[in-house]
Amino acid sequence: MAQFVGTTHQDGVATVTLTRAELHNAFNEVVIEELTRAFRDLDQDVKTRLVVLAAAGKSFCAGADIYWMKRMVDYTFEENVADANLMADMLRAIRECSKPVVARVHGAAIGGGVGLVAACDMAVAVRSVVFSLSEVRLGILPAVISPYVLEKIGPGAARRYGVTAERFDGTEAKRIGLISESVETPEELDPWIAGIAKAVKGNGPKAVAACKKILSDVTGVPWADVQALTTKRISELRVSEEGQDGLKAFLEKRKPGWVSSEESPLMFKKILIANRGEIAVRITRTVQQMGVGVIAVFSDPDRLAPHVVCADEAYALAGESAADTYLRGDKIIEIAKQHGAEAIHPGYGFLSENAAFAQACGDAGLTFIGPTPEVIRSMGDKLTAKKKFEQAGVPVVPGWSGAGDDPVYVMRGEADRIGYPVLVKAAAGGGGKGMRVVASAEELAAAIDGARHEAGAAFGDARVFLEKFIIRPRHVEIQIFGDTHGNVVHLFERECSVQRRHQKIVEESPSPAVSDSLREEMAAAAVRAARAIGYTGAGTVEFMVDDAGSFYFLEVNTRLQVEHPVTEMITGCDLVAAQLVVASGGELPFSQDDLQRRGHAIECRIYAEDASRGFMPSIGTLGVYEPPVGPNIRVDSGVVQGSSVTVHYDPMLAKLVVWGASRDESLARMRWALQRYPILGVTTNVDFLQALIEHPSFVKGEVHTQFLDETTVAPPSTDDPPDEALIAGAWALSRKSKRRGAAAELTTAAGPWDAGASWRMTR
């Protein structure tokens, strides 16, 4: 799955969307590679009739990524040539795509962004949009984009705007020919494009492609050769199957075969995302790719957060704490209704598994993007879930449920029957709250009291039950997906055994401990469980697996999981897109036969916390934040450089996800990426994660849920900087004056060497 470029399809129109909204959709190597691949794939897609090039967030494209530009400072001539060729290949892929391409320019197009617009066949822009060929301001020139710009705006305008770097608006862009049409408001962009799509889809697909090609091929051809070229092309089309059908349809007064009257199910026009951080950014990316508007909500500390910046609209939830903001379902529903949202996506955490909120959405006429309130309610009660799935033939952990509020002496007798160790477990909630491991009868009463008190405070439900405590189990979950048409599929397993205080830290798929036969058994049980409760949307059925390979139902998470990118990387499916399709009443966009595993993916959760101090959360401002970039590396981030990390919310900054053809390749890529993830201003767990994935037991796949409790994972000491850091620092300082200039204009801290906050280099 692409990281920064998304492609969606509807009624023959493919929309390619730049999704680096938090960085103004600026180019780097990955963006360029993904755009090139997207257009080459669409060139071969017979179902696509028109391609729309769009962008998420406030800007269309701001040219080169500042971090990419920083690396350019040290490029050799040969490296610069190779780098420029990547950009040239991308522009050619857009220009030579056999389908008409329309640029949807809703925000600023600067530098290379102008080149993107010029490479398209047509463009529509808002009149207030700013355009600029800004390269000369940086001491470089718009060389690679120049042929496309020159063709569109002619030599006079190209000279003026190329040498002055003056800014101009949509009205001027239309006058000089860069765009086809300018409109007053962003809301007018899509109707204009819809008109173009309707016109294109009424024409012969091969004829349209041939028209694009002939207009390109005759440019510069001597007049003596034009006649032979053009007569040959028209003759080829007249005798083709499409040409014959088109001519006969005209004479017979009927529609030609390529005109379809089919219509797709209605999709939402606007949704509200009731969340923050990386998951809100990630959901926004897909939703905007689908042409759906996004409303963000934000607390006072999140006023300038990335999820706010990349949304189409954003509205305040007055307050700082989660209780006053992201947990206020009444405020969120009021904003959704007031500003025209048709649905609410809850993300994970906060209100995502709150049945009352899901019900309130329905009562307000809003679609809750998730399962029904009844399913959420029943699966939130572990006693109910366990009984229901036992009846459906899903293996469950041996234990005793009782009424949930039974006297201690009754529970002691049942614990003796089950055999110690036992687990006292809350009937409601999750996240390890209200859970106690009991090794002997003497510990049971205190454990029951403690679990009831914690569960009552956390969930408002003090009921507990008993299960046999399985020593050193693996935690393996199956991704499920259902729709309202009776379809239920699984998307394989995720290994989630590496946990701290019942919170997952590293996830991967496939599990190194799950055989093909065990995978089939677990997946079949998960699908049975989903069918038993009429599950719709995305969810997971979680199991414990013991040393003998027996598996037992643990719980159902009725939401999109934090670790869903692992599944997306091995299947190529966009789970958020599927959520919207299902919630809008459509069928699942994939069948079980469509789903295939490919390669291996690993996810590490990047937290602002100090592993050397008991994983104490760390707060501060990110003086440097540069996620790693490279093929098959995905970073779902909720922060950018300059973001503040506060005490109010979960300290997770991002999820680093990698893919490899094998587990060994995936591990090597994760090591490489973690070593290239500078974060300054807060302490993070990056060093700890490096040590963890290099631990011999993890490398062998020999982990379990108690692994971190029983194993010392020691990151390198932070007392003294490594020698290479001192050498690199001295080298950087010696070059610092040379680096002031173009790069200095663009950022106040060109890298860790220029940052004032404390930091260290990871070996």
Side-chain angles (χ1 to χ4, degrees):
M1 180 182 169
Q3 183 176 355
F4 300 130
V5 175
T7 304
T8 58
H9 301 263
Q10 187 168 14
D11 292 337
V13 178
T15 301
V16 178
T17 308
L18 298 168
T19 59
R20 290 187 97 199
E22 68 278 12
L23 292 177
H24 304 287
N25 299 308
F27 293 125
N28 64 11
E29 303 98 312
V30 177
V31 175
I32 291 172
E33 178 191 350
E34 290 179 355
L35 264 179
T36 305
R37 189 187 319 128
F39 275 92
R40 286 177 176 166
D41 289 346
L42 290 170
D43 179 61
Q44 301 298 316
D45 183 10
V46 296
K47 294 181 180 179
T48 297
R49 303 294 308 281
L50 178 76
V51 181
V52 178
L53 179 57
K58 302 295 189 290
S59 302
F60 178 74
C61 178
D65 174 356
I66 189 170
Y67 305 125
W68 187 30
M69 294 180 71
K70 280 192 248 178
R71 294 197 297 278
M72 290 180 196
V73 173
D74 297 320
Y75 280 3
T76 63
F77 174 79
E78 290 75 16
E79 288 171 328
N80 271 292
V81 170
D83 186 78
N85 273 317
L86 292 175
M87 183 81 168
D89 288 343
M90 177 194 72
L91 294 172
R92 279 190 62 192
I94 296 172
R95 167 66 185 276
E96 295 178 359
C97 180
S98 57
K99 294 14 178 230
V101 182
V102 180
R104 181 188 186 279
V105 189
H106 71 294
I110 308 297
V114 175
L116 270 186
V117 176
C120 296
D121 299 302
M122 296 165 273
V124 57
V126 178
R127 292 190 184 107
S128 60
V129 160
V130 172
F131 296 87
S132 176
L133 293 165
S134 59
E135 286 83 352
V136 292
R137 287 188 180 276
L138 306 179
I140 54 178
L141 77 163
V144 176
I145 67 173
S146 61
Y148 305 92
V149 173
L150 186 64
E151 182 184 47
K152 277 291 176 71
I153 69 176
R159 284 195 174 101
R160 173 184 171 180
Y161 290 112
V163 302
T164 65
E166 286 180 280
R167 296 186 170 199
F168 54 97
D169 63 11
T171 301
E172 175 68 357
K174 181 184 178 184
R175 188 191 71 79
I176 62 179
L178 179 63
I179 64 173
S180 312
E181 185 60 86
S182 64
V183 295
E184 192 65 36
T185 66
E187 289 73 26
E188 298 173 70
L189 293 170
D190 291 332
W192 189 88
I193 293 172
I196 294 295
K198 183 177 180 180
V200 168
K201 287 190 285 185
N203 304 328
K206 291 181 180 177
V208 169
C211 181
K212 279 195 65 172
K213 186 161 177 51
I214 193 70
L215 293 173
S216 176
D217 289 351
V218 297
T219 303
V221 174
W223 279 105
D225 300 324
V226 166
Q227 182 174 344
L229 175 63
T230 55
T231 54
K232 178 175 181 289
R233 296 285 177 84
I234 185 61
S235 300
E236 290 172 344
L237 259 294
R238 283 176 179 171
V239 299
S240 71
E241 183 179 345
E242 180 178 288
Q244 290 288 298
D245 181 40
L247 290 169
K248 289 176 182 176
F250 175 75
L251 296 172
E252 296 167 7
K253 298 184 177 176
R254 62 171 172 85
K255 290 183 179 180
W258 60 76
V259 176
S260 172
S261 59
E262 295 180 7
E263 294 185 3
S264 297
L266 292 176
M267 175 51 67
F268 306 117
K269 291 184 173 61
K270 187 188 294 188
I271 75 165
L272 182 147
I273 299 173
N275 218 298
R276 64 177 300 279
E278 64 83 17
I279 189 60
V281 175
R282 184 266 169 276
I283 294 168
T284 296
R285 185 167 63 238
T286 286
V287 173
Q288 290 176 330
Q289 287 170 14
M290 298 177 75
V292 177
V294 172
I295 297 175
V297 290
F298 59 92
S299 64
D300 294 345
D302 281 345
R303 184 171 57 88
L304 299 176
H307 81 276
V308 176
V309 173
C310 66
D312 300 298
E313 304 171 41
Y315 302 99
L317 297 166
E320 294 186 341
S321 70
D324 290 336
T325 55
Y326 299 106
L327 289 172
R328 286 291 302 274
D330 56 337
K331 286 185 180 180
I332 290 168
I333 289 173
E334 182 182 351
I335 290 171
K337 293 285 288 181
Q338 185 176 350
H339 297 284
E342 298 164 284
I344 293 180
H345 196 306
Y348 59 72
F350 294 131
L351 296 167
S352 62
E353 294 181 284
N354 187 310
F357 177 68
Q359 184 65 57
C361 288
D363 293 344
L366 299 165
T367 299
F368 178 82
I369 300 178
T372 64
E374 294 75 22
V375 167
I376 296 173
R377 192 173 293 112
S378 65
M379 292 302 98
D381 186 327
K382 294 182 177 63
L383 288 173
T384 300
K386 188 172 182 179
K387 291 173 183 175
K388 187 177 288 287
F389 291 148
E390 194 170 15
Q391 293 169 358
V394 178
V396 299
V397 180
W400 179 78
S401 300
D405 56 355
D406 306 88
V408 171
Y409 75 87
V410 174
M411 297 184 72
R412 182 179 290 115
E414 293 299 329
D416 290 339
R417 179 185 60 80
I418 295 167
Y420 291 93
V422 297
L423 186 67
V424 180
K425 196 171 180 181
K433 290 183 172 63
M435 194 180 295
R436 298 289 189 278
V437 178
V438 183
S440 65
E442 290 74 25
E443 302 173 11
L444 185 64
I448 292 171
D449 287 344
R452 282 176 170 163
H453 177 77
E454 187 174 58
F459 314 123
D461 184 345
R463 292 176 303 142
V464 297
F465 62 101
L466 298 177
E467 281 185 347
K468 176 67 179 175
F469 180 68
I470 299 174
I471 299 173
R472 298 185 181 87
R474 287 180 177 269
H475 184 148
V476 180
E477 63 191 21
I478 303 291
Q479 176 72 57
I480 57 168
F481 225 117
D483 64 24
T484 56
H485 301 271
N487 301 305
V488 180
V489 300
H490 70 84
L491 291 91
F492 313 104
E493 85 280 6
R494 294 187 291 257
E495 170 74 63
C496 306
S497 298
V498 180
Q499 303 177 7
R500 186 179 62 79
R501 299 171 190 163
H502 304 289
Q503 292 292 327
K504 303 161 189 172
I505 296 175
V506 177
E507 301 93 356
E508 61 182 306
S509 185
S511 166
V514 173
S515 65
D516 288 343
S517 59
L518 180 57
R519 179 176 297 111
E520 288 180 13
E521 287 184 56
M522 295 178 70
V527 170
R528 283 200 305 275
R531 290 192 183 282
I533 57 175
Y535 197 90
T536 55
T540 56
V541 182
E542 312 213 354
F543 297 100
M544 288 188 292
V545 182
D546 65 19
D547 287 341
S550 298
F551 63 94
Y552 308 96
F553 168 73
L554 185 62
E555 63 182 354
V556 172
N557 280 322
T558 55
R559 55 176 167 79
L560 189 69
Q561 289 283 77
V562 177
E563 59 273 18
H564 76 274
V566 171
T567 297
E568 293 182 327
M569 294 288 267
I570 65 161
T571 63
C573 298
D574 187 325
L575 299 189
V576 173
Q579 282 187 297
L580 263 69
V581 170
V582 168
S584 65
E587 290 193 58
L588 276 172
F590 38 73
S591 68
Q592 193 65 65
D593 291 339
D594 293 332
L595 297 167
Q596 302 292 326
R597 283 187 301 115
R598 187 177 68 91
H600 193 101
I602 302 175
E603 173 182 288
C604 286
R605 302 188 187 189
I606 309 299
Y607 284 99
E609 60 185 17
D610 190 343
S612 67
R613 297 183 179 180
F615 296 93
M616 181 182 295
S618 176
I619 62 172
T621 300
L622 299 178
V624 170
Y625 181 79
E626 297 190 18
V629 173
N632 299 317
I633 294 174
R634 168 177 169 176
V635 181
D636 283 11
S637 184
V639 295
V640 294
Q641 193 160 294
S643 290
S644 294
V645 181
T646 73
V647 298
H648 299 293
Y649 314 111
D650 183 273
M652 190 169 74
L653 304 178
K655 299 177 310 201
L656 173 61
V657 195
V658 301
W659 179 92
S662 65
R663 187 170 189 265
D664 287 345
E665 182 181 318
S666 191
L667 280 171
R669 183 163 284 121
M670 181 60 79
R671 283 193 290 270
W672 185 94
L674 285 168
Q675 290 166 1
R676 290 160 178 80
Y677 205 148
I679 304 174
L680 313 181
V682 297
T683 302
T684 73
N685 67 335
V686 170
D687 285 347
F688 171 79
L689 291 169
Q690 288 186 50
L692 172 60
I693 67 165
E694 292 175 3
H695 192 283
S697 295
F698 185 87
V699 172
K700 294 176 186 176
E702 298 173 351
V703 294
H704 48 79
T705 56
Q706 283 94 52
F707 176 72
L708 291 182
D709 297 328
E710 300 175 1
T711 308
T712 300
V713 177
S717 170
T718 60
D719 293 339
D720 298 304
D723 292 341
E724 61 266 33
L726 297 173
I727 294 168
W731 171 79
L733 289 170
S734 72
R735 300 178 67 249
K736 193 169 183 180
S737 62
K738 297 179 183 178
R739 292 166 55 179
R740 302 182 191 275
E745 278 187 26
L746 296 168
T747 181
T748 56
W753 316 112
D754 302 307
S758 60
W759 66 281
R760 68 178 297 275
M761 177 179 282
T762 301
R763 287 185 185 274

